Amino acid sequence: MTRSLDIVFLGLSLSSSWGNGHATTYRALIKGLRHAGHRIFFLERDVPWYASHRDLPSPDFCELAYYSDPATMIERHGERLGNADAVIVGSYVPDGVPLIDGLEALQPKRLCFYDIDTPVTLAKLDRGDEEYLALRQIPLFDAYFSFSGGRVLTWLEQRYGARRAIALYCSVDEGRYANTGESNCWDLGYLGTYSPDRQPTLERLLLEPARRLPSMRFVVAGPQYPAEIEWPANVERIEHLPPADHASFYSRQRFTLNVTRSDMIAAGWSPSVRLFEAAACGAPIISDFWQGLDELLPDTEALFIARAPEDVVALLTELSDSDRLAAAAAARKRVMSSHTGYARAGDLAGALSNLPANPAFERISA
């Protein structure tokens, strides 16, 4: 990029990481954009569940403003939205459908969508669920940025009518995620908000191994787990872990577990931000399998694939420390070379610079 861009994001949350992986994803990306000299304005819906759990209410790397409803927000910030080089709406934004319609009516220079949940979004649309994006709106975007790559990009263009589907994977904030050097507290840990479709895998790859290895220590961090879950005595629970504590959390595990939502497994090529964070902290990773994972972090070289409790038990009891740490080092090298916020910011800025401006905007400007 040779020119500074003025970019407006309308995302689920930047201020609160409670119960979502969007905030840390946006933070890493926007820090990278700011470092490269771009100007960023983030608009966030003011909702009580995030307002009461804000761990970054006033970021120093971008402007952040809250709004109560889309129509009032567009009226108040219409000039800024209309003059921006790009307006990027994220997935799971409340009242996303009327918000997108209102933004499209402004005829911004470039209107884009950043889907941090692509397989989930497409599965919802296939069921007729248009919670935050309508099927008719996909062709409106100049670019559909997807945190899933691979065949999903072809689906977006050929099945759903996207003009341009471009992979924009999650990334890690390299300034915040590194090994802290602390001693291990747990043999295996997991960080993630409760999800019904992830829970069977968590049961199979962490809770059952914990029952079989009562002398070892396990931990699960994240909110919204139902009260009826029966946690083994050697599994510690942490209700909420703010991003400032993530590096310490990962650094204190002999292994960390990566669990993927079922829609993302079906789509493949969908690395989560937690996967990158764990790798950046040098935590040896045990993961379920999905297509494309081997291209990112090869099995036994940069992480360890587990399909059954026996696989996890064997890794915890038989793998040498040298092999465990060698895989962690290989994963960190790969992630730090290609999946940092700085790297991803370059991907986004480069893609935006190659998008033609809306002809309607050019006529208005003239």
Side-chain angles (χ1 to χ4, degrees):
M1 279 301 302
T2 58
R3 183 174 72 84
S4 175
L5 296 175
D6 184 10
I7 305 171
V8 179
F9 284 92
L10 298 102
L12 175 65
S13 182
L14 182 71
S15 71
S16 174
S17 64
W18 183 85
N20 74 87
H22 289 227
T24 50
T25 296
Y26 281 123
R27 291 172 191 179
L29 175 63
I30 293 172
K31 283 183 180 179
L33 289 167
R34 181 67 185 88
H35 179 79
H38 305 294
R39 183 184 177 200
I40 310 299
F41 183 35
F42 195 100
L43 286 159
E44 176 179 333
R45 183 72 172 266
D46 192 6
V47 294
W49 48 92
Y50 292 147
S52 59
H53 294 92
R54 283 181 178 142
D55 45 38
L56 190 69
S58 302
D60 60 3
F61 49 85
C62 72
E63 296 177 68
L64 170 61
Y66 305 99
Y67 64 94
S68 57
D69 68 89
T72 303
M73 180 274 295
I74 290 174
E75 181 179 356
R76 179 176 180 181
H77 298 289
E79 183 176 357
R80 180 74 180 271
L81 291 162
N83 290 329
D85 290 298
V87 174
I88 303 176
V89 184
S91 50
Y92 270 103
V93 172
D95 293 320
V97 173
L99 171 64
I100 292 166
D101 285 340
L103 293 170
E104 199 273 335
L106 285 177
Q107 294 291 297
K109 189 182 297 186
R110 296 172 184 87
L111 180 61
C112 306
F113 192 74
Y114 183 21
D115 202 336
I116 303 177
D117 308 275
T118 310
V120 175
T121 300
L122 300 186
K124 287 166 74 70
L125 291 175
D126 290 345
R127 297 192 301 268
D129 181 347
E130 298 185 334
E131 178 186 0
Y132 52 84
L133 174 69
L135 183 61
R136 63 173 173 81
Q137 293 175 323
I138 293 179
L140 300 177
F141 299 109
D142 295 290
Y144 192 115
F145 293 105
S146 167
F147 105 118
S148 299
R151 60 192 175 191
V152 174
L153 304 178
T154 302
W155 296 349
L156 280 164
E157 293 182 352
Q158 295 184 356
R159 298 183 189 177
Y160 299 92
R163 295 187 213 170
R164 302 171 186 84
I166 301 170
L168 191 70
Y169 292 121
C170 295
S171 60
V172 64
D173 182 346
E174 59 269 54
R176 285 187 170 271
Y177 289 87
N179 195 279
T180 63
E182 296 172 86
S183 300
N184 290 330
C185 292
W186 306 288
D187 294 285
L188 178 64
Y190 172 70
L191 171 59
T193 300
Y194 171 78
S195 176
D197 63 342
R198 279 195 299 245
Q199 192 61 24
T201 305
L202 185 64
E203 169 71 32
R204 187 172 67 254
L205 301 184
L206 190 146
L207 300 189
E208 181 56 27
R211 296 185 187 101
R212 298 185 189 185
L213 300 169
S215 64
M216 289 191 176
R217 300 161 298 172
F218 300 77
V219 61
V220 174
Q224 302 179 24
Y225 285 84
E228 58 267 23
I229 294 177
E230 294 185 6
W231 301 98
N234 57 338
V235 177
E236 182 179 344
R237 275 286 291 125
I238 300 173
E239 178 63 23
H240 174 59
L241 195 74
D245 297 333
H246 285 189
S248 174
F249 179 74
Y250 286 123
S251 298
R252 289 181 288 156
Q253 299 172 47
R254 279 210 304 132
F255 290 91
T256 196
L257 180 65
N258 178 67
V259 178
T260 312
R261 295 191 63 175
S262 58
D263 289 331
M264 297 173 185
I265 289 175
W269 291 278
S270 301
S272 72
V273 67
R274 301 290 175 242
L275 184 66
F276 291 147
E277 289 174 357
C281 291
I285 299 166
I286 298 174
S287 180
D288 53 7
F289 178 77
W290 37 267
Q291 194 170 3
L293 178 57
D294 268 347
E295 298 174 20
L296 179 72
L297 299 172
D299 185 23
T300 72
E301 177 185 327
L303 53 63
F304 303 96
I305 300 296
R307 292 178 171 84
E310 293 77 12
D311 299 330
V312 177
V313 170
L315 287 166
L316 292 178
T317 59
E318 299 173 13
L319 190 72
S320 69
D321 279 346
S322 60
D323 288 344
R324 178 177 65 88
L325 296 175
R332 175 174 167 77
K333 182 178 180 180
R334 283 173 172 262
V335 167
M336 297 306 286
S337 66
S338 303
H339 302 289
T340 65
Y342 290 168
R344 202 66 71 241
D347 296 338
L348 176 59
L352 291 175
S353 70
N354 289 323
L355 288 179
N358 184 344
F361 179 90
E362 296 298 331
R363 290 195 299 270
I364 293 170
S365 300

